[in-house]
Amino acid sequence: MADSVASLGGEFGFINLIRSRITDPAGIRGIGDDCAVLPMNSTTDLVVTTDLLIEDVHFILSDITAAQLAYKSAAVNLSDIAAMGARPIGCFLSIALPKNVTAKWADQFIESFIAICDRFGATLLGGDTTSSKGPIAINVAVLGKVPCGRSKLRSSARPGDLICCTGTLGDSGAGLDVVLSRVASAENAKLDADAEWLVRRHYEPTPRIQEGLLLGELEGVHAMMDISDGIASDLNHILKASSTGSVQLGADVHVEQLPLSSKLRRWSAANGKNAIELALTAGEDFELLMTISPNDLDRARGCLASLCPLTVIGEITASHKGIRYMDGDQELTQQFAGYTHF
Amino acid sequence: MADSVASLGGEFGFINLIRSRITDPAGIRGIGDDCAVLPMNSTTDLVVTTDLLIEDVHFILSDITAAQLAYKSAAVNLSDIAAMGARPIGCFLSIALPKNVTAKWADQFIESFIAICDRFGATLLGGDTTSSKGPIAINVAVLGKVPCGRSKLRSSARPGDLICCTGTLGDSGAGLDVVLSRVASAENAKLDADAEWLVRRHYEPTPRIQEGLLLGELEGVHAMMDISDGIASDLNHILKASSTGSVQLGADVHVEQLPLSSKLRRWSAANGKNAIELALTAGEDFELLMTISPNDLDRARGCLASLCPLTVIGEITASHKGIRYMDGDQELTQQFAGYTHF
């Protein structure tokens, strides 16, 4: 429909419409990063993020447990705090529930929500509860803190930086594929161990809070964000935010270097799926994507040694715009696009 | 359904379930007031509130304009900031839109949302946009600031305090009645001027920010909150929060003193509605409800003189529990209940 909200150019068109109407107050960074950044006191900045999850868009109620849904609702927000190199301090939960949701479901949701928030230091401080005549809607907002001026932004990438990410990519997208097949078949067939693990990666992503804090302390870590829509989309945000009038940044991404789990490789091979494409486009991995000065790669890897792998997947360049996908020396002709909501 | 979320005892049962599982960190006040209160620096506390609006629960899309919906989504949150005696500093908007929403609608929503936020100093700093396969869902979170330790809480009422409110009550409930009749009749008949005004009071409540800031400076203003569910519900929150193990507080509310607009009186008389009941139970007036030391009433009224009326509607007492509704010297036998979601 030419006149629909989609005609604004997808969700990012809608966000750009909003951005075009706003000027940030002095000292505050609003829309454009994983969190807004506000001055709090002489040593600390406040960071704030919020995410909205809607039944049948972000999850299928019949396939996810109350505990998993609560976990994921918190984790996607905690991941934004991690992306700034910040420490969570509190969270707010708004939830709209149909009247036929059971008390047991509500109780399990709350128990799980509080457990993950407590685990990462984000005490539940408030929220809103309401009924819904349709789908469940869950909005979470998380506050965090970061040393003054030290939050990691999308706008700090420099030519020559290495593009790196934590963990493995594409698992969540494969897990979603498994979930959708399971829902479509309406059978609750037992999954094999690989599929089971991939589904867990989709429903229970690990917010990289500790990793974000450690990387946040390194000056050589320049731009950072979390991977929510897939590198094909998310890396473009870094390129756009870090380009200036005089220097337009691009990236080379080496698809053979993408960190793929053995489980994703086996599952993809067995099911005729393209693991590379999942890693680039499916999103919801909630790993950290960053650009690092080559001199600081070893230090960054050392910091994360006991926590998770840090993989170089490409470089920032000023010699071309946009993302070029390379397989060895060959430029891929295939283009990739991340997830978009409209 | 005995096992449904409603069996927890309504929305407040659900909130109590959540509260029972949480301990506030030192120095932070979480659930229990209109906003959470967090220390920000040596002079200022941060206050945070969030509210979720769901299509067909909080609004009927065919009857409300995009601009009105945006205004109301912001206003109900700004009202919570006002209730703490705080000043808004920023806000976050999460919105789930069906794909058939028009770009024009989205544009008008954003324009109106930013206009009201700017008017009250709450710059839009971030949020989330997503599609919805069902109703529109809108979550707003607002941050505010207040001098350290000076936020107005529900727990500060004292025996002998006068119970006061700003503005007039019941208009919003009457406006909702007009809206529901209009939707049910599926006719867009022209409303008379009174009905038109009442609908506007329902769709465009005034956040009492300036009033809250002025009242916030007065030590004689003890407990404060905004009227979202109706006095019959909201005043009970003050009584409960302000009671201690040794002193259980109650209230006398004088129904003949309730501030009713002339338009509500005329409309109620013409339509066979009970204005008193609307004022006590319908909620969504978003006026401020507070308890004031009798010695400070004149000062409080003086502060608000040019802004809005401040009406005494009852007293806090330690001589009985709960709310007693009086009409002159007569205690009413009718009981009233505020709005509840489950």
Side-chain angles (χ1 to χ4, degrees):
Chain A
M1 187 175 323
D3 190 32
S4 83
V5 66
S7 72
L8 293 170
E11 66 179 300
F12 301 117
F14 188 36
I15 294 168
N16 286 337
L17 166 71
I18 297 172
R19 286 182 76 169
S20 69
R21 293 178 178 275
I22 297 171
T23 310
D24 285 341
I28 295 183
R29 292 185 68 94
I31 300 171
D33 280 286
D34 291 60
C35 295
V37 187
L38 299 87
M40 194 164 170
N41 56 46
S42 60
T43 60
T44 309
D45 285 340
L46 179 73
V47 298
V48 185
T49 185
T50 186
D51 270 309
L52 176 61
L53 274 70
I54 304 284
E55 183 180 344
D56 291 336
V57 176
H58 298 92
F59 60 92
I60 297 163
L61 190 60
S62 62
D63 197 77
I64 194 168
T65 67
Q68 284 172 323
L69 181 56
Y71 177 98
K72 185 156 182 178
S73 306
V76 301
N77 282 278
L78 290 165
S79 178
D80 287 321
I81 300 286
M84 307 298 286
R87 183 183 298 280
I89 53 179
C91 72
F92 295 80
L93 168 67
S94 300
I95 183 162
L97 293 176
K99 291 185 184 178
N100 63 356
V101 161
T102 65
K104 186 177 168 196
W105 190 97
D107 192 58
Q108 288 174 340
F109 183 95
I110 291 301
E111 184 177 2
S112 167
F113 188 84
I114 292 173
I116 178 178
C117 290
D118 281 351
R119 185 172 142 207
F120 290 101
T123 309
L124 179 57
L125 298 178
D128 192 17
T129 62
T130 175
S131 60
S132 168
K133 290 185 179 167
I136 293 175
I138 300 164
N139 192 85
V140 176
V142 180
L143 310 185
K145 61 182 180 180
V146 62
C148 268
R150 299 294 294 274
S151 49
K152 295 297 183 191
L153 308 176
R154 298 177 180 181
S155 52
S156 309
R158 305 178 197 173
D161 277 358
L162 301 173
I163 303 166
C164 302
C165 66
T166 58
T168 55
L169 301 181
D171 300 329
S172 176
L176 175 60
D177 190 285
V178 173
V179 164
L180 293 177
S181 301
R182 174 159 77 179
V183 169
S185 75
E187 282 176 28
N188 215 339
K190 179 137 180 62
L191 299 177
D192 67 33
D194 288 343
E196 191 81 55
W197 184 87
L198 293 166
V199 169
R200 220 160 43 238
R201 288 275 291 164
H202 180 65
Y203 281 154
E204 299 168 44
T206 304
R208 297 291 187 188
I209 294 291
Q210 195 56 37
E211 294 84 349
L213 286 167
L214 291 166
L215 294 165
E217 287 175 8
L218 300 183
E219 291 203 3
V221 174
H222 294 157
M224 191 154 74
M225 67 181 298
D226 75 340
I227 302 175
S228 54
D229 295 325
I231 284 178
S233 172
D234 293 326
L235 182 55
N236 271 318
H237 293 307
I238 288 179
L239 297 178
K240 198 171 162 196
S242 298
S243 291
T244 61
S246 53
V247 183
Q248 295 289 309
L249 296 188
D252 283 340
V253 169
H254 304 284
V255 300
E256 82 281 6
Q257 293 177 19
L258 291 169
L260 306 179
S261 65
S262 56
K263 296 172 182 77
L264 175 64
R265 288 180 195 274
R266 276 197 305 263
W267 176 87
S268 298
N271 292 276
K273 305 286 179 177
N274 184 337
I276 297 286
E277 189 163 354
L278 285 168
L280 289 172
T281 67
E284 299 223 2
D285 286 311
F286 300 107
E287 296 294 347
L288 297 178
L289 176 67
M290 74 212 77
T291 78
I292 305 185
S293 160
N295 293 334
D296 290 274
L297 178 63
D298 287 347
R299 186 176 305 175
R301 280 190 166 143
C303 278
L304 300 193
S306 67
L307 294 169
C308 76
L310 185 68
T311 307
V312 177
I313 61 171
E315 309 87 36
I316 299 290
T317 171
S319 65
H320 64 81
K321 281 176 65 174
I323 305 175
R324 203 166 59 168
Y325 297 97
M326 309 293 294
D327 189 359
D329 292 339
Q330 293 288 309
E331 181 175 350
L332 298 186
T333 52
Q334 186 182 357
Q335 285 304 305
F336 301 94
Y339 187 78
T340 178
H341 270 291
F342 294 116
Chain B
M1 186 176 323
D3 190 33
S4 84
V5 66
S7 72
L8 293 170
E11 67 180 298
F12 300 116
F14 187 37
I15 294 168
N16 286 336
L17 165 72
I18 297 172
R19 286 182 76 169
S20 71
R21 293 178 178 275
I22 298 171
T23 310
D24 285 340
I28 294 183
R29 294 185 67 94
I31 300 171
D33 280 287
D34 292 61
C35 294
V37 186
L38 298 89
M40 193 164 171
N41 57 46
S42 60
T43 60
T44 309
D45 286 340
L46 178 73
V47 298
V48 185
T49 185
T50 185
D51 269 309
L52 177 59
L53 273 71
I54 304 284
E55 184 180 344
D56 290 336
V57 176
H58 298 93
F59 60 91
I60 297 163
L61 190 59
S62 62
D63 196 79
I64 194 168
T65 68
Q68 285 172 323
L69 180 57
Y71 177 99
K72 186 157 182 179
S73 305
V76 301
N77 281 279
L78 290 166
S79 178
D80 286 322
I81 300 287
M84 307 299 286
R87 184 183 299 280
I89 53 180
C91 71
F92 295 81
L93 167 68
S94 300
I95 184 163
L97 293 176
K99 291 186 184 176
N100 64 355
V101 161
T102 65
K104 185 177 169 198
W105 191 97
D107 192 60
Q108 288 175 339
F109 183 95
I110 291 302
E111 183 177 5
S112 167
F113 188 84
I114 291 173
I116 177 178
C117 290
D118 281 351
R119 184 173 142 206
F120 290 102
T123 310
L124 179 57
L125 298 178
D128 192 18
T129 62
T130 175
S131 60
S132 168
K133 289 185 180 168
I136 293 176
I138 301 163
N139 192 86
V140 176
V142 181
L143 311 184
K145 62 182 181 179
V146 62
C148 269
R150 299 293 294 274
S151 50
K152 295 297 183 190
L153 308 175
R154 298 176 180 182
S155 52
S156 309
R158 304 178 197 173
D161 277 358
L162 300 173
I163 303 166
C164 302
C165 67
T166 58
T168 56
L169 301 181
D171 300 329
S172 176
L176 175 60
D177 189 286
V178 173
V179 164
L180 293 177
S181 300
R182 175 160 74 180
V183 170
S185 75
E187 283 176 27
N188 214 338
K190 180 139 177 58
L191 299 176
D192 67 33
D194 288 344
E196 191 81 55
W197 184 86
L198 293 167
V199 169
R200 217 157 48 235
R201 287 275 289 162
H202 180 65
Y203 280 154
E204 298 168 45
T206 304
R208 297 292 188 187
I209 294 290
Q210 196 55 37
E211 294 83 349
L213 286 167
L214 292 167
L215 294 166
E217 288 176 7
L218 301 183
E219 292 203 3
V221 174
H222 294 156
M224 190 152 77
M225 68 182 298
D226 76 339
I227 302 176
S228 55
D229 294 325
I231 284 178
S233 171
D234 294 326
L235 182 54
N236 272 317
H237 293 307
I238 288 180
L239 297 179
K240 200 173 161 197
S242 298
S243 292
T244 62
S246 54
V247 183
Q248 295 290 310
L249 296 188
D252 283 339
V253 169
H254 303 285
V255 298
E256 82 281 6
Q257 293 177 18
L258 291 169
L260 306 179
S261 66
S262 57
K263 296 172 183 76
L264 176 63
R265 287 179 196 273
R266 275 197 306 263
W267 177 87
S268 298
N271 292 277
K273 305 287 181 177
N274 184 337
I276 296 286
E277 191 164 351
L278 285 167
L280 289 172
T281 67
E284 299 223 3
D285 286 311
F286 299 106
E287 297 292 348
L288 296 178
L289 176 67
M290 74 213 77
T291 78
I292 304 185
S293 161
N295 293 334
D296 290 273
L297 177 63
D298 288 347
R299 188 177 305 176
R301 280 190 165 143
C303 278
L304 300 193
S306 67
L307 295 170
C308 76
L310 184 69
T311 307
V312 177
I313 61 171
E315 308 88 36
I316 300 290
T317 172
S319 64
H320 65 80
K321 282 176 63 174
I323 305 175
R324 202 165 62 169
Y325 297 97
M326 309 293 292
D327 188 358
D329 292 340
Q330 294 287 310
E331 181 175 349
L332 297 186
T333 52
Q334 186 182 358
Q335 286 303 305
F336 301 94
Y339 187 78
T340 179
H341 272 290
F342 294 118

